[in-house]
Structure formats: C-alpha cells, structure tokens
Amino acid sequence: MKFKVTAIGTLVVGTVFILWSWYHSTPWEWLLVILLLFVLILAYGSFSIGFNFYLSSLNGKNTTEKLVALTFDDGPDSAGTESILEVLQKHQAPSSFFVIGSQVLKNRALLQKIHEQGHLIGNHTQNHSNLFGTMGVARVQKEIENCNQAIFDAIAKKPRLFRPPFGVTNPNIARAIKNMGMECIGWNVRSLDTVVSLNEKLVKNLMVKVQPGAVVLLHDRLKGNAAVVEALVIELKNKGYRFVRIDEMFDVKAYE
Ligand SMILES: [Zn+2]
C-alpha cells in the first residue's frame, strides 16, 4: 500500500516535472532531464528492496492472520547476540538470523546456539562489503558461497535464504541468486535501529508499522538492543501476534 502511494506520487511529480521542463527547455536540456529521471529510477530500484525492481524478494505476506517474522542481521556478534537469544528464548519467539560469514568464523559456538534454539539461519554474505552493489556476478556468488560454507561448517546445513547487505539489489545480484537457487528475503518494517538507538519511542513507531504478515528488520550486533526487543516482543504478544520464522511465513525451504 505504502509502495503504491510512493509509486503514484513519484509518477505524478515526474510527469509534472517532465511537462514543465519540456515547456521551458531546449530539446537537449529536456533529454538531460529524462536521462536524469531514468538514472534516479534505476538507483531507487537498487536501494529499495521492497520495490522488487531487479528481482522479486519476499518482503511481507498478504494475510489477515496475526503473524510476524522478526529478523536479525549482521551477527553472530559476541556483544549483542547472546542477550537477544535470551529474550527470544524467554518469550518463545522463533526468529530468523541473517548472518555474515566472517562473523560466523569468529563466533561459531554462538551460531550453533542460535540454530539449537530453533531459529532460522540465513545468508548475509561473507564480508558485508560496502561495495557489494558494484560486484560482478562471480564475486557476488563467491560472497554467498563462502558464507554458506562457513555456516555449513558450523551447523551442517546450507541456507537457501539470502538477504543482501543494505537490501541492495541489481541485475548481477539477481543473476547470482538465480544461479545458486537461493531465495531473496527483504523486509517491510524497518526499525532504523542502526540509525537511532532503540528506545521506547522506536518501539511505539514499530508497533504502528507492524501489520499481519510483517517482516521486521532488526540487528543483533548492537549492544543494548535486547531490552527494546523484549519490549517489542511483549507488545506484539499482547496484540495477539504469533512469531514465525521466515520459512514458515512464506512456506519456503530454509536449507538445501
Ligand atoms: Zn546487514
């Protein structure tokens, strides 16, 4: 719904802009404007995973059933993951962890613990490189393969579910995922816990955004997140939500 409003808004503003510039500019200026708009659309497609521009990712489920999938990215982390696990265990909230291969190598026992406690393990690349969006197909595949191998060495299972760093998507990433038979997982509720530290206000904002079938993006690498995650879990429980892993939410296989 939110996407539709954004899309229609962009279309209206874009059309007005084009008509305006057509009226006021020389043909060359006009061409430049069109090119600029085109580049902007492509860039927006790369950075907005919910846009499903280059590949179709699972971002949320259309349902009336009160299901919610909490997802934790960038772990396993020696500072943050343990306390998040305690909260999830205490409230019986199965969740999904999209882990970084290099972190897995450093925190193997922690990854095993996440797995043993019944949470889903997904792939979040080997290095979470800032340049991930600029890599060619072969390098993207290597990033995913290495992460899968690190996970396999720890829990003897190879993930099928992949979440790109920063939610970035482009034709190379789409190709790599397809080649490897992986499934791309996005989100439709962003906590912004990496931008502002989680607090009561953030939980309130999150509660407004969570609808049945929501996939919530959180991070377990942040110290101090556990208390707020607990507040969120309690609020959701009180509203009658049931916590499900990504594989249950979308009826997909978690591992090869
Ligand atoms: Zn990440």
Side-chain angles (χ1 to χ4, degrees):
M1 183 57 202
K2 211 165 130 203
F3 163 66
K4 272 186 195 153
V5 174
T6 318
I8 292 168
T10 311
L11 207 68
V12 170
V13 172
T15 311
V16 170
F17 189 57
I18 286 173
L19 286 176
W20 178 85
S21 49
W22 179 58
Y23 190 73
H24 289 275
S25 321
T26 66
W28 281 112
E29 282 167 346
W30 189 58
L31 193 71
L32 203 69
V33 166
I34 301 281
L35 271 173
L36 196 69
L37 275 176
F38 185 65
V39 169
L40 280 176
I41 289 168
L42 289 184
Y44 183 70
S46 298
F47 286 103
S48 178
I49 196 160
F51 201 53
N52 276 352
F53 194 77
Y54 296 107
L55 55 90
S56 63
S57 54
L58 300 167
N59 307 316
K61 189 179 181 181
N62 210 347
T63 177
T64 52
E65 204 184 336
K66 283 192 161 178
L67 304 175
V68 62
L70 301 184
T71 65
F72 297 91
D73 285 11
D74 299 356
D77 183 271
S78 54
T81 306
E82 194 90 44
S83 49
I84 297 278
L85 282 177
E86 267 170 42
V87 168
L88 299 177
Q89 176 94 325
K90 184 174 159 195
H91 295 280
Q92 292 296 298
S95 304
S96 305
F97 287 74
F98 289 92
V99 300
I100 301 172
S102 60
Q103 286 294 111
V104 171
L105 296 178
K106 282 187 268 176
N107 304 289
R108 209 178 134 114
L110 206 45
L111 186 86
Q112 288 162 339
K113 193 168 177 183
I114 299 172
H115 179 58
E116 277 155 20
Q117 293 194 358
H119 305 294
L120 176 146
I121 309 279
N123 185 315
H124 197 42
T125 71
Q126 181 67 8
N127 296 300
H128 206 282
S129 165
N130 287 335
L131 299 175
F132 187 67
T134 67
M135 290 178 184
V137 180
R139 274 187 79 190
V140 170
Q141 263 180 240
K142 198 86 200 130
E143 275 289 318
I144 300 173
E145 266 164 22
N146 288 349
C147 179
N148 263 5
Q149 190 60 46
I151 294 167
F152 182 81
D153 290 343
I155 64 166
K157 280 180 180 169
K158 266 194 186 165
R160 274 195 68 246
L161 308 181
F162 171 70
R163 174 174 282 166
F166 321 106
V168 60
T169 57
N170 62 38
N172 288 344
I173 298 170
R175 169 64 48 197
I177 292 172
K178 205 175 165 203
N179 287 349
M180 299 182 70
M182 310 268 296
E183 191 104 48
C184 190
I185 309 296
W187 60 81
N188 61 6
V189 177
R190 206 178 158 177
S191 65
L192 294 176
D193 58 354
T194 51
V195 184
V196 276
S197 61
L198 278 175
N199 54 39
E200 229 171 88
K201 202 175 150 213
L202 210 65
V203 172
K204 256 190 205 143
N205 289 346
L206 278 174
M207 286 306 296
V208 174
K209 290 194 264 179
V210 172
Q211 300 288 326
V215 176
V216 185
L217 171 66
L218 295 151
H219 294 85
D220 55 322
R221 72 177 146 84
L222 303 165
K223 221 178 156 193
N225 254 12
V228 188
V229 168
E230 179 160 35
L232 179 68
V233 166
I234 292 170
E235 288 261 350
L236 287 167
K237 256 181 156 178
N238 288 344
K239 284 221 164 151
Y241 275 93
R242 184 162 76 81
F243 300 94
V244 293
R245 305 186 345 172
I246 288 291
D247 52 347
E248 183 183 343
M249 175 79 93
F250 296 109
D251 197 18
V252 291
K253 261 177 66 185
Y255 305 103
E256 271 177 16

